[in-house]
């Protein structure tokens, strides 16, 4: 009897180990593929920039760099460098030259710096790589979509592990746990992807499942154990089931943050923000459950829920005030659904809301590469719906997305707003991006406006833009949003 129980537990642990190894190897494969794609995108962009025949950092040269950045995937900026001094870039334009410290890595004509090494750097969590007189900056979010919940650590290094090009540590809670390791090495470059994931233990199985295994102490219990573990492995994600249930039971509530014209304070709309409040528990922040939804393929359900709820709660005011709109967040994958055009058009039509009153902010967890998603966005754009890039200027494919998809506006990240009233190298970035957006005919939303001084400076830089932040109003429940609308039109 004891022997059979031990055999069952050993087999159970083996099943869990195999599952964990397969997941780690899959993640290593994906990380290596992403690293190779970034390397190739950097090589192509640098080669294109080196062939330009324009005076360095002239207006024509910067415009050409912008065009290269527009069409480059996984490249967030490209610019000119002389020695150890950065002269200009597509994102910054012509800036005061600043010096770089000694590079972290050098090989031939290539030099690399971590963004954390550069004082006042506008680039976070990424690398600046120089080749000749050109430098590129890879997207800081390029690897985040591989493991949104950050349960595993990912590192892209030289094959001999003498240097790490990019490292993403797991987010807490794994100290002292046993782990599984996987690696995949490139056949075309001197890099490998290394992944470390927490190893599941049989003792972590639910008590009911362990009891069932042990109760089958006879060797025939082995088959039962395998069947039960298989079921548990394929459906063990409690948080996934809880999130699905929360969507069905309406536990996720929406808060609406005002959007106001910077120059006048005029109310133009709201952004719908999701909040998960399980009964009898503390609120679960979006920073936790949105990555979980992404990991388990539930963002489409969440997106539909937010659109449907926002239309239900705000449609009376939207029908009454044609100039008002509501903005919702979406993942690129949400736009790739076969029936998304039909769903959005039907939900707004049934609510009596015009297409221009629903704006969709595309987040940057993933590169917008799906042709289905692009086709759906173009179809919706032709019908009058508007798309914006969220957190513009900070991530993967801002410029290339603008070039390839029907975006009508950009939302500038709060880090640029914080810099306009500080002595920071980022200070000239926001005015430059506003000018670019204006030249391209794009709407501009500036998020993270917290102080009167920031609002005053913004009214000088971009009075036509729309502001969002605590200065203009905090997120409020639907009833308070309706009261805000009534007050604005009183």
């Amino acid at each position: 009897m004891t022997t059979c129980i031990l055999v069952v537990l050993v087999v159970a642990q083996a099943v869990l180990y195999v599952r964990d190894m397969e997941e780690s190897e899959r993640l290593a494969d994906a990380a290596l593929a992403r690293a190779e794609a970034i390397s190739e995108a950097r090589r192509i962009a640098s080669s294109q920039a080196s062939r330009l025949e324009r005076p360095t950092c002239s207006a024509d040269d910067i415009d050409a760099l912008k065009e290269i950045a527009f069409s480059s995937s996984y490249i967030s900026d490209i610019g000119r460098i002389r020695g150890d001094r950065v002269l200009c870039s597509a994102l910054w334009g012509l800036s005061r030259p600043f010096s770089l410290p000694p590079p972290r890595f050098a090989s031939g004509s290539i030099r690399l710096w971590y963004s954390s090494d550069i004082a006042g750097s506008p680039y976070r969590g990424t690398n600046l790589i120089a080749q000749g007189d050109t430098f590129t900056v890879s997207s800081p979010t390029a690897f985040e979509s591989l493991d949104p919940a950050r349960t595993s650590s990912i590192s892209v290094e030289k094959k001999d592990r003498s240097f790490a090009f990019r490292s993403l540590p797991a987010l807490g809670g794994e100290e002292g746990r046993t782990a599984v390791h996987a690696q995949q090495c490139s056949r075309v470059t001197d890099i490998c992807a290394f992944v470390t994931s927490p190893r599941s233990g049989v003792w972590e199985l639910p008590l009911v499942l362990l009891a069932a295994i042990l109760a089958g102490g006879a060797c025939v219990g082995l088959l039962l154990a395998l069947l039960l573990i298989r079921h548990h492995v394929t459906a063990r994600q409690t948080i996934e089931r809880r999130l699905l249930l929360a969507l069905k039971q309406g536990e996720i509530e929406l808060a609406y943050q005002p959007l106001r014209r910077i120059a006048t304070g005029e109310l133009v709309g709201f952004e719908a923000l999701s909040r998960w409040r399980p009964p009898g528990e503390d609120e679960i922040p979006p920073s936790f459950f949105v990555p979980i939804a992404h990991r388990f393929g539930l963002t489409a359900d969440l997106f539909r829920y937010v659109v449907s709820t926002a239309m239900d709660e705000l449609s009376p005011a939207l029908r009454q005030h044609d100039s008002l709109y509501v903005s919702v967040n979406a993942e690129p994958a949400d736009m790739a659904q076969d029936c998304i055009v039909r769903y959005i058009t039907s939900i707004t039509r049934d609510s009596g809301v015009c297409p221009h009153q629903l704006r969709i902010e595309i987040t940057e967890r993933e590169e917008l590469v799906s042709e289905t998603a692009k086709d759906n966005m173009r179809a919706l754009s032709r019908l009058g719906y508007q798309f914006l890039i969220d957190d513009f200027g900070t991530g993967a494919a801002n410029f290339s997305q603008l070039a390839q998809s029907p975006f009508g506006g950009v939302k500038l990240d709060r880090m640029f707003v914080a810099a306009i009233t500080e002595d920071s190298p980022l200070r000239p970035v926001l005015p430059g991006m506003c000018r670019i957006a204006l030249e391209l005919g794009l709407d501009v939303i500036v998020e993270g406006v917290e102080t009167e001084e920031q609002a005053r400076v913004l009214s000088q830089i971009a009075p036509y833009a729309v502001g969002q932040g605590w200065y203009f109003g905090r997120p409020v429940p639907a009833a308070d949003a309706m009261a805000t609308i009534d007050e604005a039109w009183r």
Side-chain angles (χ1 to χ4, degrees):
M1 176 73 73
T2 301
T3 301
C4 287
I5 291 175
L6 289 175
V7 169
V8 168
L9 291 176
V10 169
V11 172
Q13 183 62 67
V15 170
L16 293 174
Y17 176 74
V18 170
R19 190 280 311 269
D20 291 339
M21 277 301 303
E22 288 177 345
E23 177 61 20
S24 294
E25 290 171 356
R26 181 203 64 78
L27 189 54
D29 280 335
L32 178 62
R34 185 63 51 87
E36 289 180 335
I38 294 170
S39 178
E40 180 65 9
R42 185 204 63 77
R43 186 192 65 77
I44 292 172
S46 294
S47 177
Q48 291 174 336
S50 67
R51 292 197 298 268
L52 295 175
E53 297 180 356
R54 296 169 172 83
T56 299
C57 289
S58 64
D60 287 344
D61 188 42
I62 292 174
D63 285 344
L65 293 176
K66 290 175 184 176
E67 289 297 325
I68 293 173
F70 287 165
S71 60
S72 298
S73 298
Y74 302 117
I75 301 299
S76 60
D77 199 9
I78 183 170
R80 299 300 188 187
I81 188 171
R82 181 174 296 149
D84 63 351
R85 296 173 67 80
V86 171
L87 305 179
C88 63
S89 80
L91 181 60
W92 287 18
L94 184 63
S95 61
R96 182 180 64 187
F98 68 89
S99 297
L100 296 169
R104 284 272 186 161
F105 173 82
S107 177
S109 63
I110 295 176
R111 294 171 292 157
L112 179 148
W113 293 263
Y114 293 154
S115 59
S116 58
D117 296 335
I118 306 170
S121 170
Y123 314 116
R124 298 178 296 178
T126 183
N127 298 329
L128 185 151
I129 300 178
Q131 184 170 7
D133 65 352
T134 301
F135 75 86
T136 57
V137 179
S138 57
S139 163
T141 60
F143 289 88
E144 288 187 0
S145 63
L146 304 180
D147 182 25
R150 299 284 292 277
T151 56
S152 301
S153 65
I154 302 173
S155 182
V156 178
E157 307 180 24
K158 289 193 67 178
K159 289 181 179 179
D160 61 7
R161 307 208 71 168
S162 60
F163 184 78
F165 297 99
R166 185 76 70 88
S167 295
L168 284 80
L171 292 181
E174 304 304 327
E175 294 82 359
R177 294 192 60 176
T178 56
V180 293
H181 306 276
Q183 74 176 67
Q184 293 293 338
C185 294
S186 174
R187 296 180 180 179
V188 295
T189 61
D190 183 31
I191 59 173
C192 294
F194 300 90
V195 171
T196 299
S197 302
R199 180 175 174 179
S200 303
V202 69
W203 57 88
E204 296 178 278
L205 295 172
L207 291 177
V208 173
L209 180 55
L210 273 176
I213 292 173
L214 296 175
C219 289
V220 294
L222 177 61
L223 179 59
L224 174 62
L226 290 174
L227 292 175
L228 288 173
I229 291 170
R230 180 180 178 83
H231 173 75
H232 176 67
V233 166
T234 57
R236 66 189 293 267
Q237 301 297 343
T238 303
I239 189 65
E240 176 188 9
R241 296 196 298 273
R242 286 190 63 193
L243 183 54
L244 276 172
L245 192 62
L247 292 170
K248 293 178 181 178
Q249 296 183 344
E251 291 179 10
I252 295 179
E253 302 173 1
L254 298 189
Y256 299 92
Q257 186 164 29
L259 302 167
R260 297 183 181 274
R261 192 73 61 188
I262 288 176
T264 63
E266 171 196 1
L267 181 70
V268 298
F270 294 88
E271 180 181 0
L273 305 169
S274 53
R275 301 288 186 265
W276 186 3
R277 295 187 174 92
E281 300 182 33
D282 293 335
E283 179 180 304
I284 300 175
S287 59
F288 177 79
F289 72 80
V290 171
I292 292 296
H294 186 275
R295 183 178 188 186
F296 292 113
L298 299 179
T299 61
D301 300 85
L302 183 59
F303 171 72
R304 289 175 177 233
Y305 178 90
V306 171
V307 172
S308 176
T309 304
M311 291 295 100
D312 182 56
E313 293 181 338
L314 292 193
S315 60
L318 295 173
R319 289 194 298 267
Q320 187 176 359
H321 305 289
D322 182 71
S323 60
L324 274 180
Y325 64 85
V326 63
S327 182
V328 300
N329 290 297
E331 300 278 354
D334 302 338
M335 294 297 104
Q337 302 173 76
D338 291 336
C339 57
I340 195 62
V341 175
R342 184 169 64 252
Y343 176 80
I344 291 175
T345 54
S346 64
I347 204 76
T348 51
R349 183 181 61 249
D350 293 346
S351 300
V353 173
C354 299
H356 71 269
Q357 293 181 284
L358 175 63
R359 301 197 179 188
I360 302 170
E361 299 179 12
I362 303 296
T363 59
E364 294 189 302
R365 293 183 193 278
E366 294 181 356
E367 186 84 16
L368 184 58
V369 296
S370 167
E371 291 302 323
T372 301
K374 294 177 186 177
D375 289 343
N376 288 339
M377 290 172 62
R378 293 187 188 100
L380 288 166
S381 182
R382 288 193 293 268
L383 293 172
Y385 299 91
Q386 184 168 331
F387 292 90
L388 304 101
I389 295 182
D390 198 9
D391 299 327
F392 182 78
T394 65
N398 291 337
F399 295 135
S400 63
Q401 287 181 1
L402 277 174
Q404 299 169 14
S405 303
F407 288 101
V410 293
K411 176 176 277 190
L412 304 185
D413 187 75
R414 63 183 63 246
M415 77 173 183
F416 301 116
V417 177
I420 61 174
T421 55
E422 304 290 339
D423 184 15
S424 165
L426 279 178
R427 192 168 185 170
V429 174
L430 187 142
M433 290 196 296
C434 287
R435 286 194 297 271
I436 294 172
L438 188 62
E439 291 173 2
L440 295 175
L442 299 169
D443 290 342
V444 175
I445 297 91
V446 183
E447 64 177 341
V449 185
E450 312 295 347
T451 68
E452 183 177 358
E453 184 182 10
Q454 289 172 347
R456 178 181 55 79
V457 175
L458 285 169
S459 68
Q460 299 169 355
I461 295 173
Y464 50 85
V466 170
Q468 179 180 355
W470 284 10
Y471 177 79
F472 293 112
R474 300 195 178 200
V476 296
D480 293 341
M482 296 291 282
T484 300
I485 294 170
D486 291 340
E487 182 179 348
W489 267 270
R490 186 173 299 165

